[in-house]
Amino acid sequence: MNNLSVANTATHKAFDVKAIRRDFPILSQQVNGKPLVYLDNGASAQKPLAVLDAMDRYYREMHSNVHRGAHTLGDRATAAFEGARETVRSFLNAGSTQEIIWTRGTTEAINLVANGLAPRLKAGDEILVSHMEHHANIVPWQMLAERTGAKVVPIQVTPQGELDLESFNSLLNDRTRVLAITHVSNVLGTINPVADMVKQAKVRGIITLLDGAQAVPHFQPDVQALDCDFYVFSSHKLFGPTGIGVLYGKAALLEEMPPYQGGGEMIERVSFERTTWNTLPYKFEAGTPAIAEAVGLGAAIEYLNGFDREAMEAAENALLERANQLVETVPGMAIIGTAKSKVPVMSFKIKGLHPSDIGTLLDQQGIAIRTGHHCAMPLMDFYGVPGTARASFAFYNTLDEVDQLFTALQKVQRLFA
């Protein structure tokens, strides 16, 4: 599915989806009298017991503020908090924990970078994004452009849902200052050729940011191999808790950037004459952090490290393959996004049916999907649709659940026909 996975040296468990599902208690419930089929993983993935237990243990046994407590609980909390940072560093293959910044999520991470790059931009400069970006990787750059006089320029996509690389190549020029691109599309599932794009950008000295929110649940990126300047993702899509995310940034750039917020941990010394900033990564972590959430994210990554990622990717590919095979069983169904390289995300429409009606009727059958514009209005405009229905799969989903989805879609189509 991709060639950017980092080999995991841990002892792997056999990939047994039935056993894996027992690790996710929420999956065993019924919804509207039907067994839950959870296919909204692209919006937020479910949490294994390892994550729930780690956060519970933190609150029961070690809760304290971190870094400056002169007592045992403070030491325990700090060790767990910074241990989670090391877990993230290893997951991304970053060079140092100084390059791992805790944020509230992908959105805040992008805003932090956009704010920090403001001194580098001036009127006439250009920021490259794409037509398949999530709003979180469009709006912060538009706000930056308004402040600096720069311009946001979109890379085109093809009807199949792949980046138009001719468009990309034609847009690179001496005015380009930033390339901010999604690693994986949240609507299309497309895996973009980001390594080659970053390489081309670096030749021109362009700052690069990769939105990895939809990538990290499906494969393990290597930021040093990618050589991107920034990489961002959210915990809750990676089977961890909500309310925390990660910004990886090259240390030299982070050192140059001004703080994003002021107060608390980000200071070295404060006086009314002058305040100096803390060292990395704390320079960007103002106030009491999301300690339990960091611990939970670390536990999620450690849980994933217990499996063979290649086996997980193969299982997810099988889910998407089965779904693609069944499309023709639903009259009027059409897939939005047919890229050759995809994660298991299927956005679709059914002739004569509104996406929200599809979602509501599937929910009555216990099946959870997402409907609407998926925070990607420019992409919806490109395809000429108000929104789509989207089924997004995870490694704990089963082929039987794929079959249940299409049986339910057939019922919905017959009802409206």
Side-chain angles (χ1 to χ4, degrees):
M1 189 161 76
N2 67 86
N3 59 3
L4 293 173
S5 295
V6 176
N8 186 346
T9 58
T11 301
H12 296 129
K13 305 173 186 176
F15 190 82
D16 180 347
V17 70
K18 290 184 179 179
I20 288 169
R21 289 177 66 84
R22 290 194 290 270
D23 292 338
F24 293 82
I26 198 170
L27 299 179
S28 63
Q29 67 178 292
Q30 291 199 338
V31 171
N32 292 322
K34 306 287 185 180
L36 171 63
V37 177
Y38 186 78
L39 303 179
D40 193 20
N41 298 286
S44 196
Q46 300 300 344
K47 322 305 172 192
L49 285 168
V51 170
L52 304 179
D53 290 346
M55 296 179 71
D56 181 71
R57 190 180 316 115
Y58 164 79
Y59 279 121
R60 288 179 182 274
E61 299 177 8
M62 65 186 79
H63 171 66
S64 172
N65 217 324
V66 292
H67 296 139
R68 293 183 300 277
H71 53 81
T72 298
L73 291 186
D75 291 343
R76 289 177 184 170
T78 300
F81 181 70
E82 293 300 337
R85 196 190 305 269
E86 167 58 25
T87 298
V88 172
R89 184 214 63 77
S90 177
F91 175 72
L92 294 176
N93 193 32
S96 167
T97 53
Q98 289 187 322
E99 298 178 319
I100 304 300
I101 311 296
W102 298 121
T103 66
R104 289 182 298 165
T106 303
T107 299
E108 184 178 56
I110 297 172
N111 276 273
L112 190 161
V113 174
N115 180 79
L117 294 181
R120 284 176 164 259
L121 270 67
K122 64 183 184 303
D125 288 344
E126 295 182 353
I127 303 164
L128 280 189
V129 295
S130 83
H131 264 278
M132 67 171 67
E133 300 305 316
H134 190 283
H135 296 164
N137 202 29
I138 298 175
V139 178
W141 303 113
Q142 291 176 328
M143 295 168 68
L144 176 60
E146 289 179 1
R147 288 172 57 190
T148 62
K151 180 181 179 182
V152 176
V153 180
I155 303 165
Q156 301 299 311
V157 298
T158 69
Q160 293 74 33
E162 298 175 327
L163 285 180
D164 185 333
L165 296 182
E166 289 186 6
S167 170
F168 169 64
N169 291 328
S170 70
L171 292 172
L172 288 174
N173 62 68
D174 292 339
R175 297 183 302 277
T176 310
R177 295 291 178 266
V178 178
L179 170 66
I181 201 79
T182 186
H183 199 164
V184 170
S185 167
N186 71 309
V187 175
L188 308 169
T190 304
I191 304 174
N192 287 319
V194 293
D196 289 340
M197 297 176 75
V198 168
K199 185 176 181 180
Q200 291 185 65
K202 284 186 67 64
V203 171
R204 293 178 174 270
I206 297 168
I207 300 294
T208 55
L209 178 143
L210 300 181
D211 175 356
Q214 297 291 332
V216 293
H218 303 291
F219 54 86
Q220 188 171 347
D222 182 335
V223 294
Q224 293 194 69
L226 289 168
D227 202 22
C228 56
D229 294 305
F230 302 101
Y231 197 96
V232 299
F233 69 90
S234 297
S235 163
H236 70 101
K237 298 183 192 296
L238 189 60
F239 313 98
T242 58
I244 190 166
V246 170
L247 163 62
Y248 157 80
K250 288 183 177 177
L253 282 169
L254 292 173
E255 291 281 12
E256 178 185 319
M257 288 164 50
Y260 181 53
Q261 295 177 315
E265 192 67 31
M266 55 77 65
I267 61 96
E268 178 187 51
R269 177 175 172 77
V270 174
S271 71
F272 284 109
E273 290 73 33
R274 183 171 182 265
T275 295
T276 54
W277 316 133
N278 204 343
T279 57
L280 294 175
Y282 312 113
K283 169 184 171 183
F284 294 102
E285 295 179 359
T288 297
I291 306 168
E293 288 76 9
V295 170
L297 173 55
I301 293 173
E302 290 171 355
Y303 174 79
L304 292 175
N305 285 345
F307 297 98
D308 183 332
R309 294 302 292 260
E310 290 185 2
M312 292 172 68
E313 290 177 26
E316 291 184 342
N317 281 340
L319 297 171
L320 184 60
E321 183 178 356
R322 173 70 68 87
N324 285 329
Q325 291 170 349
L326 293 175
V327 169
E328 63 183 19
T329 68
V330 182
M333 183 174 180
I335 302 303
I336 304 295
T338 56
K340 293 179 181 178
S341 183
K342 288 185 61 170
V343 300
V345 170
M346 176 175 279
S347 285
F348 61 92
K349 58 182 181 178
I350 298 176
K351 186 177 181 179
L353 301 183
H354 194 281
S356 63
D357 291 332
I358 296 172
T360 298
L361 291 170
L362 289 181
D363 180 60
Q364 292 175 4
Q365 300 178 67
I367 300 172
I369 66 165
R370 183 135 309 240
T371 65
H373 55 67
H374 313 297
C375 295
M377 287 183 180
L379 188 62
M380 298 297 110
D381 291 342
F382 172 78
Y383 283 106
V385 295
T388 71
R390 184 187 70 186
S392 49
F393 305 95
F395 65 94
Y396 48 58
N397 291 124
T398 67
L399 293 173
D400 183 60
E401 288 182 320
V402 179
D403 294 343
Q404 291 178 60
L405 167 65
F406 279 86
T407 297
L409 288 173
Q410 291 163 14
K411 291 180 180 178
V412 171
Q413 196 277 335
R414 286 197 298 269
L415 175 65
F416 279 85

